[in-house]
Amino acid sequence: SIFAKTYNDEKTNSCIAFVYDATGSKGPYPETVHVVPPHDPSGWKGSGKAYAGHSIQDWLLNGEDENHWNQMIEIEFWSNLMYPESADQLYHARIADAEKQCPGTQSTRISESTNDIIFELQNSGCAASAARFQLSRFMTGKYGVYEVSYLSSNPVTEGEIAAWLKVLQNANIVLQH
């Protein structure tokens, strides 16, 4: 099985998802994702959940919790061993799930290259979800696919969207030695 450890790396001021192979007893995968928020990186706290080959880490502003939040950074990981889908297949599944949960959800594919997709989702609220804005990037690493997202439960300005788009564009997968 796969489990995840999350922490705020003071050296690089970034939120980091670090994924371990718990069955191989060989320690961590030598791969991590660095995400640097545009405002005070130390103001975020993380928590995570893991399933077989899939992990989710949520980063909330200090003082917020999973039931009451205004902004969230979410880092999701699908292991190649359990989920052989490509970034494009996971993107289409994400859009279909969002539209199923909340009909009328609007999606815009902002940019794409081989194994790398940036997109935006917006809904005005429905029975399953409050109004939400999401800006996400699927990134393919050696060990699987990552989705790095910024979510807001409040309206966002063009300036905020531009700042978070830059954060996602600068997020990177780093191989540790």
Side-chain angles (χ1 to χ4, degrees):
S1 67
I2 305 286
F3 67 97
K5 175 183 178 185
T6 59
Y7 56 93
N8 192 333
D9 181 4
E10 293 176 11
K11 191 164 82 176
T12 60
N13 282 330
S14 62
C15 299
I16 296 176
F18 208 46
V19 182
Y20 289 78
D21 176 2
T23 60
S25 300
K26 297 183 190 224
Y29 286 158
E31 187 172 83
T32 185
V33 174
H34 289 253
V35 180
V36 181
H39 314 289
D40 188 16
S42 65
W44 297 81
K45 64 179 180 204
S47 65
K49 302 174 209 163
Y51 312 94
H54 180 230
S55 64
I56 302 171
Q57 298 85 40
D58 293 333
W59 293 86
L60 302 170
L61 289 170
N62 289 328
E64 297 184 353
D65 64 47
E66 63 185 41
N67 296 314
H68 303 94
W69 56 269
N70 294 310
Q71 297 182 82
M72 177 189 303
I73 299 171
E74 186 171 79
I75 303 170
E76 213 166 333
F77 171 78
W78 293 268
S79 165
N80 288 339
L81 298 174
M82 301 292 288
Y83 299 90
E85 292 86 354
S86 68
D88 189 62
Q89 290 169 313
L90 289 169
Y91 162 78
H92 286 291
R94 170 69 71 223
I95 300 303
D97 185 52
E99 291 172 347
K100 180 180 175 184
Q101 284 185 12
C102 200
T105 295
Q106 300 292 315
S107 62
T108 305
R109 204 163 173 152
I110 296 171
S111 68
E112 65 182 292
S113 61
T114 305
N115 299 316
D116 196 305
I117 302 166
I118 297 177
F119 64 98
E120 178 182 303
L121 287 174
Q122 290 191 55
N123 73 51
S124 56
C126 63
S129 172
R132 183 172 295 164
F133 171 84
Q134 178 175 337
L135 191 60
S136 295
R137 179 180 177 195
F138 278 106
M139 305 164 59
T140 303
K142 182 176 180 179
Y143 298 99
V145 177
Y146 296 86
E147 180 183 12
V148 180
S149 301
Y150 166 73
L151 298 99
S152 176
S153 60
N154 293 323
V156 291
T157 67
E158 291 299 319
E160 290 170 320
I161 292 170
W164 283 102
L165 182 57
K166 185 175 179 180
V167 167
L168 294 183
Q169 290 168 331
N170 290 332
N172 58 13
I173 298 172
V174 178
L175 292 176
Q176 307 290 319
H177 298 290

